[in-house]
Amino acid sequence: MKLYLASKSPRRREILDLMRLDYDIVTAEADESLPVGIGMEAAGTLLAERKAKAAADLLADGETDGEEILVLAADTLVYLDGAPLGKPKDADDALRMLTLLSGRRHYVCTGVCLCAGGKTRTAVDVTAVHMRSFTEAEIRAYIATGEPLDKAGAYGIQGVGSVLVEKIEGDFFSVMGLPPRLVRGLLADAGFSYFDLITVD
């Protein structure tokens, strides 16, 4: 059995490393548009499933030596007032997003998909994040670190952006981009025990 992560995200790689799972990276272009009116949880699972299927199709076209292939993908969306905040286009857009988030609660939705044996399985988590109030000077200093520019909602909870967060209600790893408990659950649904797959020193 070989596990592939369909993501270039260093945060997701870090989480799988913490879980002691052996994996390779494979990514493929996937449609990231969303149907009008789609709900937050449905959006998260739809995008994760598209990524997993695209990567699985790419692997199917290559040489796998008959080895069983598992493909794991995730997508994280940030919602404020029912509308998604994607990755900022530039520093000005990051300033706009962070100004909107200051002193308010928003939601982070992470959908996860596992492709195994020709079948896709999905799971989703929604976590509430409460941001403290911060000044424009603090926002600009944070943007200057470069951290917000490749992240949905323009912040990273595992980095410098952690100082902007007052508290969360839910799963820290979901906000980071990949909840281990959902990974374990999807592996179990596909007939694999997580503890049989981890590397032990």
PDB file of all heavy atoms in Angstrom, residues 98-138:
ATOM      1  N   LEU A  98      -7.924  40.904   6.633  1.00  0.00           N
ATOM      2  CA  LEU A  98      -7.581  40.921   8.056  1.00  0.00           C
ATOM      3  C   LEU A  98      -8.320  42.027   8.801  1.00  0.00           C
ATOM      4  O   LEU A  98      -8.678  41.866   9.972  1.00  0.00           O
ATOM      5  CB  LEU A  98      -6.071  41.055   8.224  1.00  0.00           C
ATOM      6  CG  LEU A  98      -5.291  39.799   7.813  1.00  0.00           C
ATOM      7  CD1 LEU A  98      -3.811  40.104   7.640  1.00  0.00           C
ATOM      8  CD2 LEU A  98      -5.486  38.690   8.846  1.00  0.00           C
ATOM      9  N   THR A  99      -8.574  43.134   8.129  1.00  0.00           N
ATOM     10  CA  THR A  99      -9.368  44.201   8.739  1.00  0.00           C
ATOM     11  C   THR A  99     -10.793  43.714   9.001  1.00  0.00           C
ATOM     12  O   THR A  99     -11.375  43.999  10.062  1.00  0.00           O
ATOM     13  CB  THR A  99      -9.391  45.437   7.822  1.00  0.00           C
ATOM     14  OG1 THR A  99      -8.050  45.899   7.623  1.00  0.00           O
ATOM     15  CG2 THR A  99     -10.212  46.566   8.433  1.00  0.00           C
ATOM     16  N   LEU A 100     -11.346  42.955   8.066  1.00  0.00           N
ATOM     17  CA  LEU A 100     -12.680  42.388   8.253  1.00  0.00           C
ATOM     18  C   LEU A 100     -12.717  41.392   9.408  1.00  0.00           C
ATOM     19  O   LEU A 100     -13.694  41.321  10.161  1.00  0.00           O
ATOM     20  CB  LEU A 100     -13.137  41.688   6.972  1.00  0.00           C
ATOM     21  CG  LEU A 100     -13.514  42.566   5.780  1.00  0.00           C
ATOM     22  CD1 LEU A 100     -13.746  41.701   4.540  1.00  0.00           C
ATOM     23  CD2 LEU A 100     -14.771  43.381   6.091  1.00  0.00           C
ATOM     24  N   LEU A 101     -11.653  40.616   9.566  1.00  0.00           N
ATOM     25  CA  LEU A 101     -11.619  39.570  10.596  1.00  0.00           C
ATOM     26  C   LEU A 101     -11.357  40.108  11.994  1.00  0.00           C
ATOM     27  O   LEU A 101     -11.709  39.460  12.989  1.00  0.00           O
ATOM     28  CB  LEU A 101     -10.542  38.541  10.250  1.00  0.00           C
ATOM     29  CG  LEU A 101     -10.782  37.678   9.002  1.00  0.00           C
ATOM     30  CD1 LEU A 101      -9.553  36.816   8.724  1.00  0.00           C
ATOM     31  CD2 LEU A 101     -12.012  36.811   9.178  1.00  0.00           C
ATOM     32  N   SER A 102     -10.746  41.272  12.105  1.00  0.00           N
ATOM     33  CA  SER A 102     -10.336  41.826  13.398  1.00  0.00           C
ATOM     34  C   SER A 102     -11.511  41.917  14.376  1.00  0.00           C
ATOM     35  O   SER A 102     -12.558  42.500  14.070  1.00  0.00           O
ATOM     36  CB  SER A 102      -9.730  43.214  13.193  1.00  0.00           C
ATOM     37  OG  SER A 102      -9.382  43.799  14.440  1.00  0.00           O
ATOM     38  N   GLY A 103     -11.331  41.294  15.548  1.00  0.00           N
ATOM     39  CA  GLY A 103     -12.322  41.380  16.612  1.00  0.00           C
ATOM     40  C   GLY A 103     -13.578  40.569  16.372  1.00  0.00           C
ATOM     41  O   GLY A 103     -14.563  40.724  17.102  1.00  0.00           O
ATOM     42  N   ARG A 104     -13.547  39.668  15.387  1.00  0.00           N
ATOM     43  CA  ARG A 104     -14.768  38.951  15.027  1.00  0.00           C
ATOM     44  C   ARG A 104     -14.545  37.437  15.004  1.00  0.00           C
ATOM     45  O   ARG A 104     -13.421  36.951  14.978  1.00  0.00           O
ATOM     46  CB  ARG A 104     -15.259  39.415  13.655  1.00  0.00           C
ATOM     47  CG  ARG A 104     -15.528  40.916  13.598  1.00  0.00           C
ATOM     48  CD  ARG A 104     -16.075  41.305  12.243  1.00  0.00           C
ATOM     49  NE  ARG A 104     -17.384  40.702  12.010  1.00  0.00           N
ATOM     50  CZ  ARG A 104     -17.983  40.677  10.822  1.00  0.00           C
ATOM     51  NH1 ARG A 104     -17.381  41.181   9.760  1.00  0.00           N
ATOM     52  NH2 ARG A 104     -19.173  40.125  10.684  1.00  0.00           N
ATOM     53  N   ARG A 105     -15.663  36.730  14.961  1.00  0.00           N
ATOM     54  CA  ARG A 105     -15.647  35.273  14.825  1.00  0.00           C
ATOM     55  C   ARG A 105     -15.879  34.918  13.363  1.00  0.00           C
ATOM     56  O   ARG A 105     -16.715  35.513  12.679  1.00  0.00           O
ATOM     57  CB  ARG A 105     -16.747  34.642  15.670  1.00  0.00           C
ATOM     58  CG  ARG A 105     -16.821  33.123  15.561  1.00  0.00           C
ATOM     59  CD  ARG A 105     -17.986  32.572  16.352  1.00  0.00           C
ATOM     60  NE  ARG A 105     -19.264  33.022  15.789  1.00  0.00           N
ATOM     61  CZ  ARG A 105     -20.459  32.724  16.307  1.00  0.00           C
ATOM     62  NH1 ARG A 105     -20.532  32.002  17.405  1.00  0.00           N
ATOM     63  NH2 ARG A 105     -21.556  33.175  15.745  1.00  0.00           N
ATOM     64  N   HIS A 106     -15.112  33.932  12.891  1.00  0.00           N
ATOM     65  CA  HIS A 106     -15.359  33.390  11.563  1.00  0.00           C
ATOM     66  C   HIS A 106     -15.250  31.872  11.644  1.00  0.00           C
ATOM     67  O   HIS A 106     -14.974  31.315  12.712  1.00  0.00           O
ATOM     68  CB  HIS A 106     -14.361  33.961  10.536  1.00  0.00           C
ATOM     69  CG  HIS A 106     -12.941  33.609  10.814  1.00  0.00           C
ATOM     70  ND1 HIS A 106     -12.151  34.317  11.708  1.00  0.00           N
ATOM     71  CD2 HIS A 106     -12.141  32.601  10.347  1.00  0.00           C
ATOM     72  CE1 HIS A 106     -10.949  33.773  11.758  1.00  0.00           C
ATOM     73  NE2 HIS A 106     -10.911  32.730  10.949  1.00  0.00           N
ATOM     74  N   TYR A 107     -15.489  31.225  10.531  1.00  0.00           N
ATOM     75  CA  TYR A 107     -15.483  29.762  10.510  1.00  0.00           C
ATOM     76  C   TYR A 107     -14.464  29.248   9.494  1.00  0.00           C
ATOM     77  O   TYR A 107     -14.331  29.797   8.405  1.00  0.00           O
ATOM     78  CB  TYR A 107     -16.875  29.217  10.173  1.00  0.00           C
ATOM     79  CG  TYR A 107     -17.895  29.538  11.231  1.00  0.00           C
ATOM     80  CD1 TYR A 107     -18.665  30.697  11.145  1.00  0.00           C
ATOM     81  CD2 TYR A 107     -18.057  28.712  12.341  1.00  0.00           C
ATOM     82  CE1 TYR A 107     -19.588  31.014  12.132  1.00  0.00           C
ATOM     83  CE2 TYR A 107     -18.971  29.023  13.335  1.00  0.00           C
ATOM     84  CZ  TYR A 107     -19.734  30.178  13.220  1.00  0.00           C
ATOM     85  OH  TYR A 107     -20.632  30.494  14.211  1.00  0.00           O
ATOM     86  N   VAL A 108     -13.775  28.192   9.887  1.00  0.00           N
ATOM     87  CA  VAL A 108     -12.836  27.522   8.991  1.00  0.00           C
ATOM     88  C   VAL A 108     -13.372  26.119   8.727  1.00  0.00           C
ATOM     89  O   VAL A 108     -13.626  25.354   9.658  1.00  0.00           O
ATOM     90  CB  VAL A 108     -11.427  27.445   9.599  1.00  0.00           C
ATOM     91  CG1 VAL A 108     -10.487  26.688   8.659  1.00  0.00           C
ATOM     92  CG2 VAL A 108     -10.888  28.851   9.859  1.00  0.00           C
ATOM     93  N   CYS A 109     -13.553  25.817   7.456  1.00  0.00           N
ATOM     94  CA  CYS A 109     -14.095  24.525   7.033  1.00  0.00           C
ATOM     95  C   CYS A 109     -13.022  23.763   6.270  1.00  0.00           C
ATOM     96  O   CYS A 109     -12.501  24.267   5.273  1.00  0.00           O
ATOM     97  CB  CYS A 109     -15.324  24.742   6.147  1.00  0.00           C
ATOM     98  SG  CYS A 109     -15.970  23.239   5.404  1.00  0.00           S
ATOM     99  N   THR A 110     -12.687  22.572   6.733  1.00  0.00           N
ATOM    100  CA  THR A 110     -11.733  21.730   6.025  1.00  0.00           C
ATOM    101  C   THR A 110     -12.414  20.436   5.603  1.00  0.00           C
ATOM    102  O   THR A 110     -12.903  19.680   6.446  1.00  0.00           O
ATOM    103  CB  THR A 110     -10.502  21.415   6.885  1.00  0.00           C
ATOM    104  OG1 THR A 110      -9.760  22.627   7.097  1.00  0.00           O
ATOM    105  CG2 THR A 110      -9.580  20.409   6.193  1.00  0.00           C
ATOM    106  N   GLY A 111     -12.444  20.222   4.283  1.00  0.00           N
ATOM    107  CA  GLY A 111     -12.941  18.967   3.742  1.00  0.00           C
ATOM    108  C   GLY A 111     -11.767  18.061   3.437  1.00  0.00           C
ATOM    109  O   GLY A 111     -10.710  18.523   3.019  1.00  0.00           O
ATOM    110  N   VAL A 112     -11.940  16.771   3.659  1.00  0.00           N
ATOM    111  CA  VAL A 112     -10.884  15.782   3.420  1.00  0.00           C
ATOM    112  C   VAL A 112     -11.467  14.663   2.568  1.00  0.00           C
ATOM    113  O   VAL A 112     -12.620  14.252   2.765  1.00  0.00           O
ATOM    114  CB  VAL A 112     -10.331  15.208   4.739  1.00  0.00           C
ATOM    115  CG1 VAL A 112      -9.169  14.262   4.481  1.00  0.00           C
ATOM    116  CG2 VAL A 112      -9.896  16.334   5.673  1.00  0.00           C
ATOM    117  N   CYS A 113     -10.672  14.170   1.623  1.00  0.00           N
ATOM    118  CA  CYS A 113     -11.112  13.066   0.771  1.00  0.00           C
ATOM    119  C   CYS A 113     -10.012  12.020   0.673  1.00  0.00           C
ATOM    120  O   CYS A 113      -8.833  12.369   0.547  1.00  0.00           O
ATOM    121  CB  CYS A 113     -11.473  13.575  -0.627  1.00  0.00           C
ATOM    122  SG  CYS A 113     -12.020  12.263  -1.762  1.00  0.00           S
ATOM    123  N   LEU A 114     -10.400  10.762   0.727  1.00  0.00           N
ATOM    124  CA  LEU A 114      -9.477   9.650   0.519  1.00  0.00           C
ATOM    125  C   LEU A 114      -9.995   8.804  -0.640  1.00  0.00           C
ATOM    126  O   LEU A 114     -11.137   8.330  -0.612  1.00  0.00           O
ATOM    127  CB  LEU A 114      -9.371   8.784   1.779  1.00  0.00           C
ATOM    128  CG  LEU A 114      -8.419   7.589   1.675  1.00  0.00           C
ATOM    129  CD1 LEU A 114      -6.965   8.059   1.667  1.00  0.00           C
ATOM    130  CD2 LEU A 114      -8.648   6.604   2.825  1.00  0.00           C
ATOM    131  N   CYS A 115      -9.157   8.658  -1.661  1.00  0.00           N
ATOM    132  CA  CYS A 115      -9.459   7.750  -2.770  1.00  0.00           C
ATOM    133  C   CYS A 115      -8.742   6.430  -2.518  1.00  0.00           C
ATOM    134  O   CYS A 115      -7.517   6.415  -2.354  1.00  0.00           O
ATOM    135  CB  CYS A 115      -8.980   8.323  -4.103  1.00  0.00           C
ATOM    136  SG  CYS A 115      -9.990   9.665  -4.746  1.00  0.00           S
ATOM    137  N   ALA A 116      -9.503   5.350  -2.487  1.00  0.00           N
ATOM    138  CA  ALA A 116      -8.909   4.021  -2.252  1.00  0.00           C
ATOM    139  C   ALA A 116      -9.769   2.975  -2.934  1.00  0.00           C
ATOM    140  O   ALA A 116     -10.996   2.985  -2.777  1.00  0.00           O
ATOM    141  CB  ALA A 116      -8.822   3.733  -0.749  1.00  0.00           C
ATOM    142  N   GLY A 117      -9.125   2.101  -3.692  1.00  0.00           N
ATOM    143  CA  GLY A 117      -9.859   1.023  -4.336  1.00  0.00           C
ATOM    144  C   GLY A 117     -10.934   1.503  -5.288  1.00  0.00           C
ATOM    145  O   GLY A 117     -11.985   0.863  -5.421  1.00  0.00           O
ATOM    146  N   GLY A 118     -10.700   2.641  -5.926  1.00  0.00           N
ATOM    147  CA  GLY A 118     -11.676   3.167  -6.869  1.00  0.00           C
ATOM    148  C   GLY A 118     -12.862   3.856  -6.232  1.00  0.00           C
ATOM    149  O   GLY A 118     -13.816   4.245  -6.930  1.00  0.00           O
ATOM    150  N   LYS A 119     -12.833   4.035  -4.925  1.00  0.00           N
ATOM    151  CA  LYS A 119     -13.938   4.668  -4.207  1.00  0.00           C
ATOM    152  C   LYS A 119     -13.431   5.898  -3.461  1.00  0.00           C
ATOM    153  O   LYS A 119     -12.312   5.894  -2.934  1.00  0.00           O
ATOM    154  CB  LYS A 119     -14.561   3.677  -3.222  1.00  0.00           C
ATOM    155  CG  LYS A 119     -15.750   4.224  -2.458  1.00  0.00           C
ATOM    156  CD  LYS A 119     -16.351   3.173  -1.529  1.00  0.00           C
ATOM    157  CE  LYS A 119     -17.528   3.734  -0.733  1.00  0.00           C
ATOM    158  NZ  LYS A 119     -18.114   2.709   0.179  1.00  0.00           N
ATOM    159  N   THR A 120     -14.238   6.952  -3.435  1.00  0.00           N
ATOM    160  CA  THR A 120     -13.871   8.142  -2.668  1.00  0.00           C
ATOM    161  C   THR A 120     -14.697   8.203  -1.386  1.00  0.00           C
ATOM    162  O   THR A 120     -15.888   7.891  -1.373  1.00  0.00           O
ATOM    163  CB  THR A 120     -14.108   9.437  -3.477  1.00  0.00           C
ATOM    164  OG1 THR A 120     -15.489   9.531  -3.848  1.00  0.00           O
ATOM    165  CG2 THR A 120     -13.239   9.468  -4.723  1.00  0.00           C
ATOM    166  N   ARG A 121     -14.022   8.609  -0.330  1.00  0.00           N
ATOM    167  CA  ARG A 121     -14.671   8.799   0.965  1.00  0.00           C
ATOM    168  C   ARG A 121     -14.336  10.197   1.437  1.00  0.00           C
ATOM    169  O   ARG A 121     -13.179  10.616   1.318  1.00  0.00           O
ATOM    170  CB  ARG A 121     -14.172   7.762   1.979  1.00  0.00           C
ATOM    171  CG  ARG A 121     -14.507   6.326   1.605  1.00  0.00           C
ATOM    172  CD  ARG A 121     -13.693   5.335   2.423  1.00  0.00           C
ATOM    173  NE  ARG A 121     -14.100   3.960   2.167  1.00  0.00           N
ATOM    174  CZ  ARG A 121     -13.648   3.228   1.148  1.00  0.00           C
ATOM    175  NH1 ARG A 121     -12.757   3.753   0.299  1.00  0.00           N
ATOM    176  NH2 ARG A 121     -14.063   1.981   0.980  1.00  0.00           N
ATOM    177  N   THR A 122     -15.320  10.897   1.972  1.00  0.00           N
ATOM    178  CA  THR A 122     -15.092  12.279   2.388  1.00  0.00           C
ATOM    179  C   THR A 122     -15.528  12.499   3.838  1.00  0.00           C
ATOM    180  O   THR A 122     -16.371  11.772   4.371  1.00  0.00           O
ATOM    181  CB  THR A 122     -15.847  13.279   1.489  1.00  0.00           C
ATOM    182  OG1 THR A 122     -17.258  13.017   1.569  1.00  0.00           O
ATOM    183  CG2 THR A 122     -15.383  13.187   0.045  1.00  0.00           C
ATOM    184  N   ALA A 123     -14.922  13.513   4.438  1.00  0.00           N
ATOM    185  CA  ALA A 123     -15.296  13.955   5.779  1.00  0.00           C
ATOM    186  C   ALA A 123     -15.035  15.456   5.846  1.00  0.00           C
ATOM    187  O   ALA A 123     -14.273  16.001   5.042  1.00  0.00           O
ATOM    188  CB  ALA A 123     -14.489  13.216   6.848  1.00  0.00           C
ATOM    189  N   VAL A 124     -15.664  16.116   6.804  1.00  0.00           N
ATOM    190  CA  VAL A 124     -15.528  17.572   6.876  1.00  0.00           C
ATOM    191  C   VAL A 124     -15.562  18.014   8.330  1.00  0.00           C
ATOM    192  O   VAL A 124     -16.190  17.375   9.181  1.00  0.00           O
ATOM    193  CB  VAL A 124     -16.646  18.262   6.059  1.00  0.00           C
ATOM    194  CG1 VAL A 124     -18.018  18.010   6.679  1.00  0.00           C
ATOM    195  CG2 VAL A 124     -16.390  19.750   5.894  1.00  0.00           C
ATOM    196  N   ASP A 125     -14.861  19.105   8.609  1.00  0.00           N
ATOM    197  CA  ASP A 125     -14.857  19.700   9.950  1.00  0.00           C
ATOM    198  C   ASP A 125     -15.051  21.193   9.826  1.00  0.00           C
ATOM    199  O   ASP A 125     -14.517  21.828   8.906  1.00  0.00           O
ATOM    200  CB  ASP A 125     -13.530  19.431  10.660  1.00  0.00           C
ATOM    201  CG  ASP A 125     -13.494  20.077  12.033  1.00  0.00           C
ATOM    202  OD1 ASP A 125     -14.014  19.477  12.984  1.00  0.00           O
ATOM    203  OD2 ASP A 125     -12.960  21.196  12.154  1.00  0.00           O
ATOM    204  N   VAL A 126     -15.812  21.774  10.746  1.00  0.00           N
ATOM    205  CA  VAL A 126     -15.972  23.228  10.820  1.00  0.00           C
ATOM    206  C   VAL A 126     -15.569  23.681  12.214  1.00  0.00           C
ATOM    207  O   VAL A 126     -16.066  23.152  13.212  1.00  0.00           O
ATOM    208  CB  VAL A 126     -17.416  23.665  10.515  1.00  0.00           C
ATOM    209  CG1 VAL A 126     -17.555  25.171  10.685  1.00  0.00           C
ATOM    210  CG2 VAL A 126     -17.819  23.250   9.106  1.00  0.00           C
ATOM    211  N   THR A 127     -14.656  24.628  12.272  1.00  0.00           N
ATOM    212  CA  THR A 127     -14.163  25.166  13.538  1.00  0.00           C
ATOM    213  C   THR A 127     -14.384  26.677  13.570  1.00  0.00           C
ATOM    214  O   THR A 127     -14.119  27.369  12.580  1.00  0.00           O
ATOM    215  CB  THR A 127     -12.670  24.844  13.715  1.00  0.00           C
ATOM    216  OG1 THR A 127     -12.527  23.433  13.897  1.00  0.00           O
ATOM    217  CG2 THR A 127     -12.068  25.565  14.911  1.00  0.00           C
ATOM    218  N   ALA A 128     -14.873  27.169  14.690  1.00  0.00           N
ATOM    219  CA  ALA A 128     -15.063  28.617  14.871  1.00  0.00           C
ATOM    220  C   ALA A 128     -13.771  29.226  15.404  1.00  0.00           C
ATOM    221  O   ALA A 128     -13.166  28.690  16.338  1.00  0.00           O
ATOM    222  CB  ALA A 128     -16.211  28.892  15.834  1.00  0.00           C
ATOM    223  N   VAL A 129     -13.363  30.327  14.802  1.00  0.00           N
ATOM    224  CA  VAL A 129     -12.142  31.028  15.212  1.00  0.00           C
ATOM    225  C   VAL A 129     -12.511  32.451  15.617  1.00  0.00           C
ATOM    226  O   VAL A 129     -13.148  33.176  14.844  1.00  0.00           O
ATOM    227  CB  VAL A 129     -11.101  31.067  14.077  1.00  0.00           C
ATOM    228  CG1 VAL A 129      -9.835  31.789  14.536  1.00  0.00           C
ATOM    229  CG2 VAL A 129     -10.769  29.654  13.610  1.00  0.00           C
ATOM    230  N   HIS A 130     -12.120  32.829  16.824  1.00  0.00           N
ATOM    231  CA  HIS A 130     -12.361  34.187  17.315  1.00  0.00           C
ATOM    232  C   HIS A 130     -11.049  34.964  17.238  1.00  0.00           C
ATOM    233  O   HIS A 130     -10.059  34.579  17.864  1.00  0.00           O
ATOM    234  CB  HIS A 130     -12.853  34.157  18.763  1.00  0.00           C
ATOM    235  CG  HIS A 130     -14.144  33.427  18.959  1.00  0.00           C
ATOM    236  ND1 HIS A 130     -15.332  34.077  19.175  1.00  0.00           N
ATOM    237  CD2 HIS A 130     -14.425  32.088  18.953  1.00  0.00           C
ATOM    238  CE1 HIS A 130     -16.302  33.175  19.312  1.00  0.00           C
ATOM    239  NE2 HIS A 130     -15.768  31.974  19.178  1.00  0.00           N
ATOM    240  N   MET A 131     -11.061  36.043  16.492  1.00  0.00           N
ATOM    241  CA  MET A 131      -9.866  36.875  16.374  1.00  0.00           C
ATOM    242  C   MET A 131      -9.917  38.001  17.401  1.00  0.00           C
ATOM    243  O   MET A 131     -10.983  38.569  17.666  1.00  0.00           O
ATOM    244  CB  MET A 131      -9.762  37.487  14.979  1.00  0.00           C
ATOM    245  CG  MET A 131      -9.765  36.475  13.851  1.00  0.00           C
ATOM    246  SD  MET A 131      -8.344  35.370  13.886  1.00  0.00           S
ATOM    247  CE  MET A 131      -7.307  36.111  12.636  1.00  0.00           C
ATOM    248  N   ARG A 132      -8.777  38.338  17.972  1.00  0.00           N
ATOM    249  CA  ARG A 132      -8.736  39.521  18.827  1.00  0.00           C
ATOM    250  C   ARG A 132      -8.743  40.761  17.935  1.00  0.00           C
ATOM    251  O   ARG A 132      -8.551  40.676  16.717  1.00  0.00           O
ATOM    252  CB  ARG A 132      -7.500  39.489  19.720  1.00  0.00           C
ATOM    253  CG  ARG A 132      -6.180  39.660  19.003  1.00  0.00           C
ATOM    254  CD  ARG A 132      -5.033  39.742  20.011  1.00  0.00           C
ATOM    255  NE  ARG A 132      -3.750  39.947  19.354  1.00  0.00           N
ATOM    256  CZ  ARG A 132      -3.295  41.128  18.974  1.00  0.00           C
ATOM    257  NH1 ARG A 132      -4.031  42.220  19.160  1.00  0.00           N
ATOM    258  NH2 ARG A 132      -2.120  41.241  18.387  1.00  0.00           N
ATOM    259  N   SER A 133      -8.975  41.899  18.524  1.00  0.00           N
ATOM    260  CA  SER A 133      -8.914  43.147  17.768  1.00  0.00           C
ATOM    261  C   SER A 133      -7.449  43.530  17.580  1.00  0.00           C
ATOM    262  O   SER A 133      -6.656  43.461  18.525  1.00  0.00           O
ATOM    263  CB  SER A 133      -9.654  44.260  18.507  1.00  0.00           C
ATOM    264  OG  SER A 133     -11.030  43.954  18.594  1.00  0.00           O
ATOM    265  N   PHE A 134      -7.085  43.901  16.354  1.00  0.00           N
ATOM    266  CA  PHE A 134      -5.716  44.314  16.101  1.00  0.00           C
ATOM    267  C   PHE A 134      -5.703  45.579  15.253  1.00  0.00           C
ATOM    268  O   PHE A 134      -6.659  45.890  14.537  1.00  0.00           O
ATOM    269  CB  PHE A 134      -4.890  43.209  15.445  1.00  0.00           C
ATOM    270  CG  PHE A 134      -5.668  42.248  14.584  1.00  0.00           C
ATOM    271  CD1 PHE A 134      -5.957  42.531  13.264  1.00  0.00           C
ATOM    272  CD2 PHE A 134      -6.098  41.034  15.115  1.00  0.00           C
ATOM    273  CE1 PHE A 134      -6.662  41.636  12.474  1.00  0.00           C
ATOM    274  CE2 PHE A 134      -6.807  40.127  14.323  1.00  0.00           C
ATOM    275  CZ  PHE A 134      -7.086  40.436  13.000  1.00  0.00           C
ATOM    276  N   THR A 135      -4.629  46.315  15.370  1.00  0.00           N
ATOM    277  CA  THR A 135      -4.523  47.609  14.705  1.00  0.00           C
ATOM    278  C   THR A 135      -4.058  47.437  13.257  1.00  0.00           C
ATOM    279  O   THR A 135      -3.522  46.398  12.872  1.00  0.00           O
ATOM    280  CB  THR A 135      -3.517  48.505  15.435  1.00  0.00           C
ATOM    281  OG1 THR A 135      -2.207  47.921  15.314  1.00  0.00           O
ATOM    282  CG2 THR A 135      -3.870  48.652  16.917  1.00  0.00           C
ATOM    283  N   GLU A 136      -4.221  48.491  12.473  1.00  0.00           N
ATOM    284  CA  GLU A 136      -3.735  48.456  11.098  1.00  0.00           C
ATOM    285  C   GLU A 136      -2.222  48.292  11.064  1.00  0.00           C
ATOM    286  O   GLU A 136      -1.680  47.595  10.194  1.00  0.00           O
ATOM    287  CB  GLU A 136      -4.133  49.733  10.351  1.00  0.00           C
ATOM    288  CG  GLU A 136      -3.672  49.725   8.898  1.00  0.00           C
ATOM    289  CD  GLU A 136      -4.128  50.933   8.114  1.00  0.00           C
ATOM    290  OE1 GLU A 136      -5.174  51.525   8.451  1.00  0.00           O
ATOM    291  OE2 GLU A 136      -3.422  51.284   7.133  1.00  0.00           O
ATOM    292  N   ALA A 137      -1.534  48.899  12.030  1.00  0.00           N
ATOM    293  CA  ALA A 137      -0.078  48.765  12.084  1.00  0.00           C
ATOM    294  C   ALA A 137       0.314  47.309  12.311  1.00  0.00           C
ATOM    295  O   ALA A 137       1.271  46.803  11.709  1.00  0.00           O
ATOM    296  CB  ALA A 137       0.498  49.650  13.181  1.00  0.00           C
ATOM    297  N   GLU A 138      -0.412  46.614  13.185  1.00  0.00           N
ATOM    298  CA  GLU A 138      -0.135  45.200  13.417  1.00  0.00           C
ATOM    299  C   GLU A 138      -0.400  44.374  12.160  1.00  0.00           C
ATOM    300  O   GLU A 138       0.371  43.469  11.814  1.00  0.00           O
ATOM    301  CB  GLU A 138      -0.995  44.675  14.567  1.00  0.00           C
ATOM    302  CG  GLU A 138      -0.562  45.171  15.939  1.00  0.00           C
ATOM    303  CD  GLU A 138      -1.479  44.659  17.033  1.00  0.00           C
ATOM    304  OE1 GLU A 138      -2.685  44.921  16.985  1.00  0.00           O
ATOM    305  OE2 GLU A 138      -0.965  43.975  17.943  1.00  0.00           O
TER     306      GLU A 138
END
